[in-house]
Amino acid sequence: MRPARALIDLAALRHNYRLARERHGGRALAVVKANAYGHGAVQCACALEGEADGFAVAFLEEALTLRAAGIRKPMLLLEGVFEASELADAVREDLWIVVHHEAQLRMLETTTLAAPLHVWLKINTGMNRAGFLPEAASAAWQRLQASGNVADITLMTHFARADEPQVITTTEQIARFDAATAALPGAHSLANSGAILGWPQARRDWARPGILLYGADPLPQEGNGLQPVMTLESAVMAVREIAAGEALGYGGRFVADTPTRVGLVAMGYADGYPRVVPDGTPVSVDGHPSRIIGRVSMDMLTVDLSRLPTAAIGSRVELWGREVPVNRIAAAAGTIAYELLCNVKRVRFSYQG
Ligand SMILES: Cc1ncc(COP(=O)(O)O)c(C=O)c1O
């Protein structure tokens, strides 16, 4: 059997959730959208169901999958609904919805529902992606109240740059949120992972931790005690020597300057390992640091075993996990851990803890 697999440590997931909840205070919705950032939404939600205050997904179908798997905790649709018919589904499945746009507000005003919904009113405090402008927040709140379809309203915003401790944007967003909501009743929810860890002023009634649950610290200084949840690993499937001057792999990008022992590893970009990483990108072989040499192929990649004479066919190769932080690979690939984790596919997923 091909040895490529993603090992998911559910005990680490619970550890990270507890850390987020403790750091933030109040309650926390575990963000498990996008298949729990690639980790398996059903398995992750089941692992957290006993202690999470609730869950957040992006849209209705993601929520239905979790409800069908027996997840009963509160569940928020972060994108809200796309059409009015989904409001009845939300009532039936006991889902909470974000309302971030005039069109969604109108759906609530023009529908008759069997029961009122819990609504999270999203205010655009500077990200300019979704949400009502601060000056429109009060009117939106009044219209929700008047619709007859709303049980209660939580006030929320989302930060554009909470993972950048030095920039003023988050402080400004908090100030705009506070001004816009000063006269409105309701619980508040501001903090994503970066804010939970780095912005105490953003800690309110509800946190919405995502990436930190999966153990990737979004702050540059890291060191927050998160535990990686996914280990992406495989094994050496062949070993060869190449002479000085010989090129390796597609495009001949790596050329050996000394005789080089090359390990061929069953992992490639079709599995979600990024093709763009340069020579020198860290991997771990049997627990020892090594590096990628040569371009990553669709199903295989090559690593330098020159300094690891005992490494052989079957040696374990960690692409990321406890030995190789996923943030390092994301930096090498010019992206963020979120994207790498979400992209893992085709490999076997094994769950423990
Ligand atoms: C509205 C909202 N809240 C919370 C999160 C979680 O963010 P993070 O993964 O940075 O913690 C997201 C994710 O994008 C989001 O869209």
Side-chain angles (χ1 to χ4, degrees):
M1 185 191 294
R2 188 169 183 255
R5 68 170 181 164
L7 191 59
I8 307 296
D9 181 346
L10 297 170
L13 178 73
R14 284 190 291 271
H15 165 88
N16 297 334
Y17 177 81
R18 277 179 215 133
L19 186 148
R21 204 171 180 283
E22 250 172 63
R23 199 66 83 80
H24 181 273
R27 289 177 285 176
L29 291 183
V31 181
V32 292
K33 63 180 179 162
N35 198 26
Y37 292 41
H39 292 69
V42 168
Q43 292 86 346
C44 289
C46 286
L48 289 171
E49 169 86 337
E51 54 191 293
D53 301 304
F55 297 96
V57 294
F59 49 87
L60 177 68
E61 289 79 2
E62 289 187 330
L64 295 181
T65 301
L66 293 179
R67 285 286 189 245
I71 304 298
R72 300 306 334 152
K73 283 280 171 73
M75 200 174 294
L76 176 67
L77 308 184
L78 290 170
E79 291 181 354
V81 297
F82 289 81
E83 48 199 74
S85 64
E86 295 178 9
L87 293 170
D89 298 320
V91 171
R92 192 190 63 244
E93 299 291 337
D94 195 15
L95 303 173
W96 300 355
I97 59 166
V98 167
V99 171
H100 64 77
H101 189 268
E102 170 67 25
Q104 293 178 325
L105 192 45
R106 252 182 275 125
M107 287 180 210
L108 271 168
E109 288 179 320
T110 55
T111 307
T112 306
L113 294 176
L117 283 165
H118 296 269
V119 168
W120 287 42
L121 176 60
K122 188 167 187 174
I123 302 171
N124 168 21
T125 54
M127 188 156 175
N128 295 326
R129 183 181 69 167
F132 293 86
L133 286 171
E135 53 272 27
S138 181
W141 190 94
Q142 308 292 346
R143 284 172 60 190
L144 285 171
Q145 279 293 98
S147 73
N149 283 325
V150 174
D152 59 42
I153 303 171
T154 298
L155 301 159
M156 71 175 288
T157 194
H158 190 50
F159 296 124
R161 303 181 68 175
D163 52 356
E164 296 174 84
Q166 309 305 336
V167 302
I168 190 89
T169 313
T170 302
T171 312
E172 291 171 345
Q173 285 195 256
I174 294 169
R176 281 188 209 119
F177 179 86
D178 286 341
T181 58
L184 299 176
H188 290 183
S189 177
L190 281 70
N192 60 351
S193 297
I196 291 164
L197 298 172
W199 296 91
Q201 320 87 295
R203 297 175 189 155
R204 304 291 169 93
D205 302 290
W206 286 94
R208 306 185 310 272
I211 192 68
L212 79 69
L213 295 178
Y214 309 102
D217 196 320
L219 297 182
Q221 70 272 27
E222 304 195 15
N224 281 300
L226 302 174
Q227 296 177 3
V229 174
M230 182 192 291
T231 300
L232 184 65
E233 64 177 27
S234 191
V236 173
M237 58 197 262
V239 178
R240 78 179 57 245
E241 299 268 350
I242 59 171
E246 281 192 311
L248 173 64
Y250 285 120
R253 182 182 72 181
F254 175 82
V255 178
D257 53 8
T258 55
T260 300
R261 196 159 171 263
V262 180
L264 182 64
V265 180
M267 177 69 64
Y269 62 78
D271 304 303
Y273 190 85
R275 178 178 178 275
V276 294
V277 296
D279 293 331
T281 298
V283 297
S284 173
V285 179
D286 286 336
H288 303 290
S290 179
R291 59 181 186 137
I292 300 271
I293 50 176
R295 195 162 269 157
V296 173
S297 309
M298 186 181 286
D299 318 292
M300 293 178 271
L301 55 79
T302 38
V303 298
D304 187 358
L305 301 182
S306 304
R307 293 196 186 148
L308 302 174
T310 58
I313 291 175
S315 286
R316 176 184 171 271
V317 179
E318 179 179 304
L319 288 313
W320 63 65
R322 285 184 188 252
E323 294 157 21
V324 182
V326 66
N327 278 339
R328 284 195 65 187
I329 307 305
T335 185
I336 50 176
Y338 299 70
E339 187 182 14
L340 293 188
L341 294 168
C342 283
N343 278 346
V344 174
K345 53 190 173 297
R346 197 173 72 152
V347 302
R348 269 178 305 126
F349 275 68
S350 309
Y351 292 87
Q352 64 182 29

